[in-house]
Amino acid sequence: MAVAVPQPADAQKTGKTKAKARYLKKKKERRKHRKADAAQLKQSVPAPAPVAEAAPDSDDPSESSDDDEVVPVVAKDKEPPRKRRKTDVTDSEDEEGLAISSFNEDIALAENDAPHARSPTPTAAFPSFPLPVVPDAPSKRTLALQGLDKALLGAEIVDPTRTMSVNALDADRQLIAGAGELQLIGEKMRKRLRDLGINELFAVQTALLPFLLPPQRHHRALYCPYDPPRDVCASAPTGSGKTLAYVIPIVEILSSRIVTRLRALVVLPTRDLVVQVQETFEAISKGRGLKIGVATGQHSFAHEQAQFVGAINHCKLISGGTSKVDILICTPGRLIDHLTATPGFTLQHLRFLVIDEADRLLAQSFQDWLAQVLAALRPSTRPIDEGVSEPSLDPSITSPTHSPTSTLSSTASTLTPILYHDAVAPSFLPHIATDLDDPKHTACQKLLFSATLTRDPARIAALGLRDAKYFIVQGSGGEGDDTAASMLGSEEFAMPAALKEHYITMTSSHKPLILFYLVHARGVSNALVFTKSAASTARLVTLFGFFEEAYSTTTTESEAAEPKKRIIAQAYSSDLAPSERKTILEKFKKQEIDILICSDLVARGLDIPHVAHVVSYDAPVDLRKYVHRAGRTARAGCAGDAWTLVEDQEARFFKEMLRGAGPGRFEQVVRIALAKLKEAYSRTGA
Ligand SMILES: Nc1ncnc2c1ncn2[C@@H]1O[C@H](COP(=O)(O)OP(=O)(O)OP(=O)(O)O)[C@@H](O)[C@H]1O
């Protein structure tokens, strides 16, 4: 039987010694290599500094024990051991040689760079730092893009000359037929546009329609809680057709609806604009069965409720709200009134929220209207078992943030709600929360429009836009990225291409004369004349009446044969009752009135095609106001003239303002012969 004999202690020792011998041999070889490297380096570097070398605890390899750390040894020069150790700590054994030689190179370079600046203490261990340099000035592009909203940086710049023929849209039928996809706009819409004399889509429409009307059927759905559409901000010059850019897609998408619910809400700053946009919707949606309502406060509250909500007692019981209109056009004030006090009025089914003249509306804090509307759009995130009992499906009841509903909640709690499950928008349905839930979103797509859309990130953030896409219709005015970037960064606004702009400087007392000069010598008629207030409007109309009286009865011999046509001017301001304003506007549209002297009430959005001249009798105080006033003419590609009367003391400010508006487009009218007009003016006794 074999017995395991224990190995003698000597044999164990021998085995260990062999390994140690191998190890020491290798160590010697490494040391040789290092010495050879160091020698080479000495030859290649002219005046090497005393190099920090290893100072191992023991030089002699034979003294190292089995547990010895392998300490790199390069040379035996005097060097503070601490520094050496510090360097060594980071060097792996295999890379020692390389690490040290590159370190030496650093030292050598540093010494070469500054041979005279050597300090008495050894500096060799410190790396050299680059000398401070003046950085290049940031590019124009970098500066322009500072602090801009991320979405704005990805804006699509649309060439104002880009158009799309309505007839050419017939052709896209073949392209997508059979793929389950839809044409950009259907046959009915194309026919309607042609009937209205619209044969070509303008730049803003050409850019927006494909975005708002994607060919895939599911992207045009009325509800898309898991794949909601992106929001849109569009900035395009006045009179460039922004209204149709949202009216056409809304009508196209809503035409597929079966049940009438409030699916599009258009918010505008004034009643006049509400009426104008209502007319556009009615013209475009003719024959589609869509119901359009307005809420401006022109009619009684009860009348409006009956018009677009229906019988109040019934709708109190419907959890998803009720609506007699598909599209509601309103002013923000009246919208908030209905949100807070009309039972059954809900925004949960909204597919579109349009904020036209967005920069003006965003600046209005009236009843905090925007926050209230956004809260009403937000589905409740609370699961069904939290807080509210199941029957109460009305979001107004489930959502604590939805203040409009306090009236309804209290009423509803005393009634037994009828559960119309189909009446609740999918994202508003109460649910049993699970970990697998995908968040549900409202399908509402926000569309913002203005000729002077704000680029202020704070204002934009307040809207809580969803992955917004920007469209800016503006000629870049030059080649290259820098121009486009600086255009994005600056608040420069595009003007209609066919607009001619003039300004005249004068003393304040000459202003009425200059206006008469423009009317009688420069043929300014079919004109809007803007003053700074309703009171100035009334004064100027009276003065103009006196002057016309005197002027039309004055005849020189040459003029006797042909009596002068008397120019009719009328005031249009907030001092007038809505019905009076409507009548005056109608007369102006029929050209029974030549000049409308108005306050800034009609400076925005008003579309009267025959306006050929705009006169800023009182110079506008900011560029936005100027852009909107001037934009009442030269609309839809027609020609037009904008005149600004600038008092001497305002001239500097006005010119500076124009400089901010981009490259000079203005013509300054300098020589005006006022003698004849002065004479007539003196006869008015004014
Ligand atoms: N494709 C088109 N073809 C012909 N006319 C058009 C087209 N699109 C719009 N228009 C007409 O152009 C005029 C100006 O349109 P719209 O009022 O929408 O301009 P806007 O961009 O909203 O101007 P603003 O900024 O002043 O409100 C309207 O009379 C409109 O009917």
Side-chain angles (χ1 to χ4, degrees), residues 204-469:
V204 64
Q205 298 154 2
T206 307
L208 258 78
L209 260 55
F211 189 83
L212 296 175
L213 292 169
Q216 299 80 12
R217 205 174 284 275
H218 64 276
H219 283 148
R220 295 194 189 187
L222 295 175
Y223 300 104
C224 18
Y226 297 111
D227 186 15
R230 292 174 69 184
D231 294 332
V232 167
C233 297
S235 174
T238 50
S240 62
K242 292 186 286 296
T243 315
L244 278 187
Y246 62 81
V247 170
I248 296 174
I250 290 177
V251 171
E252 273 296 89
I253 289 184
L254 298 198
S255 293
S256 67
R257 69 99 177 91
I258 293 167
V259 181
T260 297
R261 307 219 179 279
L262 179 56
R263 298 183 196 270
L265 181 67
V266 183
V267 188
L268 291 146
T270 64
R271 287 174 186 178
D272 296 334
L273 287 183
V274 168
V275 174
Q276 189 174 294
V277 171
Q278 181 195 16
E279 284 167 5
T280 310
F281 265 111
E282 274 167 358
I284 295 289
S285 67
K286 193 173 170 199
R288 295 299 191 93
L290 292 174
K291 292 166 194 137
I292 298 155
V294 293
T296 59
Q298 204 161 342
H299 299 287
S300 75
F301 195 62
H303 175 86
E304 284 184 355
Q305 285 180 322
Q307 287 290 304
F308 58 79
V309 177
I312 300 290
N313 284 340
H314 173 66
C315 49
K316 273 179 191 167
L317 305 174
I318 298 177
S319 45
T322 186
S323 179
K324 287 167 87 180
V325 295
D326 299 285
I327 300 163
L328 181 67
I329 310 159
C330 56
T331 50
R334 203 55 160 182
L335 172 63
I336 296 303
D337 290 346
H338 284 292
L339 265 177
T340 47
T342 300
F345 182 78
T346 173
L347 305 185
Q348 62 177 288
H349 300 282
L350 274 198
R351 175 66 173 77
F352 293 101
L353 169 64
V354 181
I355 305 182
D356 202 346
E357 304 299 345
D359 56 319
R360 161 102 180 261
L361 283 171
L362 294 181
Q364 276 183 9
S365 57
F366 179 72
Q367 284 188 20
D368 211 3
W369 76 270
L370 185 62
Q372 292 212 43
V373 170
L374 294 181
L377 285 173
R378 222 171 287 136
S380 167
T381 49
R382 294 201 301 172
I384 197 165
D385 52 349
E386 263 182 40
V388 210
S389 60
E390 189 177 352
S392 178
L393 286 176
D394 192 326
S396 54
I397 299 167
T398 58
S399 167
T401 52
H402 190 197
S403 59
T405 56
S406 47
T407 335
L408 179 52
S409 345
S410 57
T411 324
S413 61
T414 61
L415 299 163
T416 311
I418 300 168
L419 297 181
Y420 288 117
H421 287 282
D422 66 344
V424 180
S427 52
F428 281 73
L429 277 169
H431 64 287
I432 297 164
T434 72
D435 291 343
L436 302 175
D437 280 351
D438 274 342
K440 282 191 283 187
H441 303 273
T442 164
C444 181
Q445 188 169 27
K446 295 182 205 113
L447 312 179
L448 272 71
F449 291 86
S450 179
T452 51
L453 195 61
T454 180
R455 290 168 200 180
D456 175 355
R459 283 251 163 89
I460 294 168
L463 283 158
L465 296 179
R466 189 166 48 205
D467 193 13
K469 169 87 181 163

Side-chain angles (χ1 to χ4, degrees), residues 88-269:
D88 287 340
V89 170
T90 52
D91 297 335
S92 73
E93 194 183 350
D94 289 338
E95 289 165 359
E96 273 173 344
L98 182 64
I100 290 173
S101 56
S102 61
F103 182 53
N104 287 344
E105 265 173 40
D106 281 350
I107 296 162
L109 288 173
E111 294 210 335
N112 279 344
D113 283 346
H116 305 296
R118 198 175 292 169
S119 83
T121 50
T123 55
F126 297 107
S128 64
F129 291 98
L131 288 172
V133 286
V134 181
D136 289 340
S139 71
K140 208 174 158 193
R141 176 188 163 79
T142 314
L143 285 176
L145 301 181
Q146 291 289 311
L148 275 192
D149 187 81
K150 214 173 82 203
L152 193 54
L153 294 178
E156 183 174 330
I157 309 291
V158 183
D159 181 352
T161 58
R162 190 171 142 193
T163 54
M164 190 198 286
S165 157
V166 174
N167 290 333
L169 290 174
D170 287 331
D172 83 345
R173 190 198 325 227
Q174 286 92 41
L175 293 177
I176 56 175
E181 295 184 335
L182 299 161
Q183 287 175 270
L184 180 63
I185 49 177
E187 176 55 39
K188 276 188 187 167
M189 179 61 80
R190 292 200 299 276
K191 183 172 178 319
R192 192 71 205 123
L193 290 177
R194 280 190 214 109
D195 290 349
L196 292 168
I198 295 170
N199 297 311
E200 208 164 54
L201 298 178
F202 290 166
V204 64
Q205 298 154 2
T206 307
L208 258 78
L209 260 55
F211 189 83
L212 296 175
L213 292 169
Q216 299 80 12
R217 205 174 284 275
H218 64 276
H219 283 148
R220 295 194 189 187
L222 295 175
Y223 300 104
C224 18
Y226 297 111
D227 186 15
R230 292 174 69 184
D231 294 332
V232 167
C233 297
S235 174
T238 50
S240 62
K242 292 186 286 296
T243 315
L244 278 187
Y246 62 81
V247 170
I248 296 174
I250 290 177
V251 171
E252 273 296 89
I253 289 184
L254 298 198
S255 293
S256 67
R257 69 99 177 91
I258 293 167
V259 181
T260 297
R261 307 219 179 279
L262 179 56
R263 298 183 196 270
L265 181 67
V266 183
V267 188
L268 291 146

